[in-house]
Amino acid sequence: MFGKLKEAAGNGAVQKLIDMAAPGLKDQLIENLNKVNPDAVKHDESYEEKVINPLNLTVSASSSGATKLIPGFDSKFKVAMLHLRDELIDATGDSVKLVEGFDKKLPDVLKSGFEKAKAAP
């Protein structure tokens, strides 16, 4: 029973986090992406080191501890950010770009990324 309550709290916390963090996450993501080359974005390890980890610290700090309410947040955040890369980041040219309509798509892509993380083993 406690597990179901914790899961429900985690699900609500994820949506609240997305609603709260999406606008600031966009700015931080753009700043981090401007510092890396397309090859670093394409490879999971370098993308995690140069983009995901700094963003995770920013989100955790700006959430005033809300990320602690989400069981396994760090691994879920990683999956969500890998999904975001696949959906919203274009690293095919000489520089990294965000896809057209990034602002409008960001909350839905974050949500689907966290849902994908929840379904992962």
Side-chain angles (χ1 to χ4, degrees):
M1 179 173 168
F2 180 69
K4 290 189 182 232
L5 289 173
K6 189 173 183 180
E7 182 179 334
N11 290 340
V14 168
Q15 186 58 50
K16 286 181 183 178
L17 182 66
I18 290 169
D19 294 342
M20 179 188 72
L25 186 65
K26 175 195 163 221
D27 295 337
Q28 190 68 35
L29 180 63
I30 290 169
E31 184 178 321
N32 286 359
L33 288 175
N34 284 331
K35 297 176 186 175
V36 298
N37 64 44
D39 289 333
V41 172
K42 292 175 191 174
H43 294 92
D44 290 354
E45 294 82 19
S46 60
Y47 179 68
E48 181 177 4
E49 177 187 331
K50 297 176 188 233
V51 178
I52 296 174
N53 291 342
L55 287 176
N56 190 350
L57 290 174
T58 299
V59 168
S60 295
S62 68
S63 73
S64 302
T67 58
K68 302 295 182 211
L69 297 173
I70 302 169
F73 176 77
D74 292 340
S75 61
K76 290 177 182 177
F77 186 77
K78 178 181 174 182
V79 171
M81 293 306 296
L82 289 169
H83 178 69
L84 182 145
R85 175 193 65 188
D86 296 343
E87 297 292 320
L88 299 178
I89 297 174
D90 178 5
T92 58
D94 293 337
S95 63
V96 180
K97 299 176 195 82
L98 300 175
V99 300
E100 188 174 328
F102 175 86
D103 292 348
K104 292 178 182 175
K105 296 176 183 177
L106 180 60
D108 290 335
V109 169
L110 286 173
K111 184 176 181 179
S112 63
F114 276 105
E115 288 171 358
K116 185 176 183 180
K118 182 180 172 185

